[in-house]
C-alpha cells in the first residue's frame, strides 16, 4: 500500500536512498547531487505508452533542465535490465533507477506506490539542500508534461536570488 | 486515494507576428499546433487540419510551432530547422506541407530533394541548417511548448485551451465550432 499520508509534500526532507541505475547499474541517489535541484520522476512501467512519452519528453527537454543545473532521475519498479533496454530504445540518457528489490521501497517512502504494485506517476522536486519543494501526482494515463517542474525550478531560482540579495 | 483535479493546460506564449500562421488574420478561432515533422500522429492529423482550414476558411487560422522529440525522431530537428530556413525565405507552409507529405523521406538526401521541389536552393539551406542557424528559433518554440504543458505531439491549443480530444476531422471540427460559438 501507499503511504497513508499520500505523496510526500513540500517542506519535508527527502528520504535518502540509492538504487541501481542506468547505464551501468551503479547505485545513484539524490544525496550525491546536493547543491543542485533534483527531479524525481516516478512512473509505473517501462514500455507503457504514456511513460515512454513522458520520459522521452524529459530527455528532449534536457537542455532546459541543464539551464537550471537540475538533475532528472526516473524511477520505477522495473529491473535495471528492463530500464537499460527501454532507455536505449528511446534515447534516454538521464539515469533510470530500479526500485526493484525490495520492490517499490523507495516509492513507498515517498508515498508514491500503488495497489497495483507499481510506482504512481508522481513528480517530486528537491531543492539543492534536499528538501521537497514541489510534488504532484498524475492519474496513470495522464502524462503530466514538464510545466509544473519548470515552474518549481523557477520558484527555486527566484527564492535563491532573494536569499542572495 | 483521491485523484487530483486535472488542470486544463493553457497556452502561455501568445500568438505573435513571429509565428507561422495560415488563415485569416481576423479569424475567430486560432489553432496552435505543437508538432514534430517525424511524428506519425502529427502526420495523421495534418490532412485533417488542412480540411478544417478548408471547411472553415473564414473562421479558423492555424499556427504551427516546432516541438521536435529528437531522442526518438532523429530527423525531426533537422526537418524543423529546414522549415525555418524556408520560412526565412517566405516559404514556410510549402516546406511544412512537403515534410508532412513525405514523412518517410526526411533523411538528409531526400530532404534536399524536397527543398529543391519547394523551389529553394538546397546547398544554401543545408549550410544554414548545418551551422544550426535556426536552432534557437526551434528551441524557443519547444521551450514555450513545455511551459504551456505540451507533453507530446501533436498538441493543439484551440483559442488558448489545450485540445483534449482526438485528431479526426469530426473531433477537430467539433472543437473548432465549440470555440467559435463560445
Amino acid at each position: 500500500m501507499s503511504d497513508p499520508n499520500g505523496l510526500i509534500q513540500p517542506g519535508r526532507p527527502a528520504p535518502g536512498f540509492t538504487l541501481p541505475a542506468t547505464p551501468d547499474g551503479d547505485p545513484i541517489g539524490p544525496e550525491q547531487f546536493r547543491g543542485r535541484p533534483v527531479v524525481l520522476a516516478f512512473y509505473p512501467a517501462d514500455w507503457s505508452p504514456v511513460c515512454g512519452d513522458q520520459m522521452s519528453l524529459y530527455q528532449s527537454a534536457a537542455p532546459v533542465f541543464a539551464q537550471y543545473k537540475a538533475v532528472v532521475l526516473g524511477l520505477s519498479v522495473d529491473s535495471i535490465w528492463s530500464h537499460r533496454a527501454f532507455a536505449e530504445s528511446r534515447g534516454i540518457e538521464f539515469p533510470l533507477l530500479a526500485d526493484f528489490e525490495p520492490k517499490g521501497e523507495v516509492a513507498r517512502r515517498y508515498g508514491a506506490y500503488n495497489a497495483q504494485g507499481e510506482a504512481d506517476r508522481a513528480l517530486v522536486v528537491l531543492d539543492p539542500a534536499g528538501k521537497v519543494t514541489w510534488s504532484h501526482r498524475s492519474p496513470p494515463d495522464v502524462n503530466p508534461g514538464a510545466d509544473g517542474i519548470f515552474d518549481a525550478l523557477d520558484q527555486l531560482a527566484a527564492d535563491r536570488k532573494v536569499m542572495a540579495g | 486515494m483521491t485523484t487530483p483535479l486535472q488542470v486544463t493546460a493553457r497556452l502561455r506564449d501568445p500568438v505573435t507576428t513571429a509565428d507561422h500562421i495560415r488563415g485569416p488574420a481576423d479569424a475567430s478561432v486560432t489553432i496552435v499546433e505543437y508538432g514534430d515533422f517525424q511524428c506519425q500522429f502529427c502526420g495523421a492529423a495534418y490532412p485533417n487540419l488542412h480540411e478544417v482550414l478548408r471547411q472553415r476558411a473564414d473562421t479558423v487560422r492555424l499556427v504551427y510551432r516546432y516541438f521536435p522529440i529528437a531522442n526518438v525522431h532523429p530527423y525531426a530537428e533537422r526537418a524543423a530547422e529546414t522549415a525555418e530556413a524556408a520560412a526565412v525565405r517566405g516559404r514556410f507552409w510549402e516546406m511544412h506541407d512537403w515534410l508532412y507529405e513525405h514523412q518517410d523521406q526526411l533523411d538528409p538526401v531526400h530532404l534536399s530533394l524536397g527543398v529543391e521541389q519547394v523551389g529553394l536552393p538546397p546547398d544554401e539551406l543545408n549550410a544554414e541548417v548545418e551551422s544550426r542557424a535556426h536552432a534557437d528559433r526551434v528551441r524557443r518554440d519547444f521551450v514555450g511548448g513545455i511551459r504551456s504543458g505540451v507533453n507530446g505531439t501533436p498538441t493543439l491549443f484551440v483559442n488558448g485551451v489545450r485540445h483534449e480530444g482526438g485528431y479526426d476531422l469530426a473531433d477537430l471540427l467539433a472543437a473548432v465550432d465549440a470555440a467559435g460559438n463560445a
Side-chain angles (χ1 to χ4, degrees):
Chain A
M1 270 306 291
S2 186
D3 183 329
N5 298 317
L7 181 63
I8 194 164
Q9 292 298 303
R12 296 259 310 275
F17 66 87
T18 60
L19 288 172
T22 53
D24 47 20
D26 287 347
I28 284 184
E31 287 97 327
Q32 70 204 75
F33 303 107
R34 285 287 182 268
R36 300 169 66 182
V38 175
V39 179
L40 303 177
F42 292 94
Y43 63 98
D46 290 343
W47 307 107
S48 86
V50 175
C51 303
D53 287 352
Q54 187 188 356
M55 295 303 128
S56 278
L57 180 73
Y58 298 165
Q59 180 60 43
S60 58
V64 192
F65 284 112
Q67 286 174 0
Y68 293 95
K69 298 190 166 45
V71 176
V72 182
L73 306 175
L75 296 99
S76 80
V77 299
D78 297 287
S79 77
I80 189 74
W81 304 105
S82 173
H83 274 345
R84 195 181 285 182
F86 175 61
E88 279 174 11
S89 82
R90 302 291 182 135
I92 292 166
E93 293 170 5
F94 61 85
L96 299 180
L97 279 57
D99 196 8
F100 183 72
E101 177 59 36
K103 186 186 169 196
E105 193 196 3
V106 171
R108 282 173 219 263
R109 293 173 68 190
Y110 278 79
Y113 192 69
N114 64 35
Q116 289 75 47
E118 295 173 335
D120 282 327
R121 194 176 302 289
L123 298 169
V124 180
V125 176
L126 313 184
D127 72 12
K131 198 172 71 180
V132 175
T133 188
W134 180 77
S135 65
H136 172 84
R137 177 162 47 205
S138 281
D141 58 344
V142 174
N143 177 346
D147 50 322
I149 299 172
F150 287 120
D151 285 347
L153 294 173
D154 273 345
Q155 188 62 50
L156 274 182
D159 291 349
R160 254 183 298 178
K161 221 172 268 174
V162 171
M163 300 266 283
Chain B
M1 192 165 57
T2 56
T3 305
L5 287 173
Q6 245 178 280
V7 179
T8 307
R10 286 185 171 274
L11 187 70
R12 290 204 205 172
D13 284 354
V15 175
T16 71
T17 50
D19 274 303
H20 304 307
I21 306 173
R22 175 182 254 176
D26 60 350
S28 59
V29 178
T30 299
I31 301 175
V32 175
E33 174 182 12
Y34 281 92
D36 170 323
F37 289 113
Q38 207 184 340
C39 159
Q40 55 175 318
F41 304 105
C42 298
Y46 160 75
N48 300 336
L49 285 164
H50 213 80
E51 186 61 17
V52 168
L53 288 180
R54 196 185 70 78
Q55 290 192 22
R56 299 288 186 274
D58 297 330
T59 52
V60 177
R61 60 178 184 159
L62 175 66
V63 173
Y64 189 87
R65 290 178 176 170
Y66 307 112
F67 202 83
I69 307 280
N71 48 303
V72 278
H73 295 147
Y75 301 132
E77 263 181 337
R78 196 184 173 94
E81 290 175 32
T82 301
E84 190 54 29
V88 167
R89 294 161 175 83
R91 306 296 280 276
F92 172 78
W93 289 104
E94 292 90 336
M95 197 70 234
H96 163 278
D97 291 353
W98 188 93
L99 290 163
Y100 277 127
E101 284 160 15
H102 301 81
Q103 277 197 305
D104 56 343
Q105 297 171 41
L106 300 186
D107 60 282
V109 172
H110 286 94
L111 186 55
S112 283
L113 293 174
V115 168
E116 209 168 348
Q117 283 172 26
V118 166
L120 294 169
D123 291 346
E124 207 178 294
L125 263 69
N126 268 339
E128 278 180 24
V129 170
E130 286 297 330
S131 69
R132 306 305 304 273
H134 304 293
D136 284 352
R137 167 58 200 260
V138 171
R139 172 72 58 82
R140 199 165 72 227
D141 275 5
F142 181 86
V143 172
I146 290 248
R147 304 306 303 231
S148 294
V150 175
N151 55 12
T153 55
T155 292
L156 306 182
F157 292 86
V158 181
N159 280 357
V161 178
R162 188 166 71 190
H163 171 67
E164 305 291 353
Y167 304 104
D168 290 347
L169 180 58
D171 288 324
L172 294 174
L173 285 174
V176 156
D177 291 344
N181 295 328

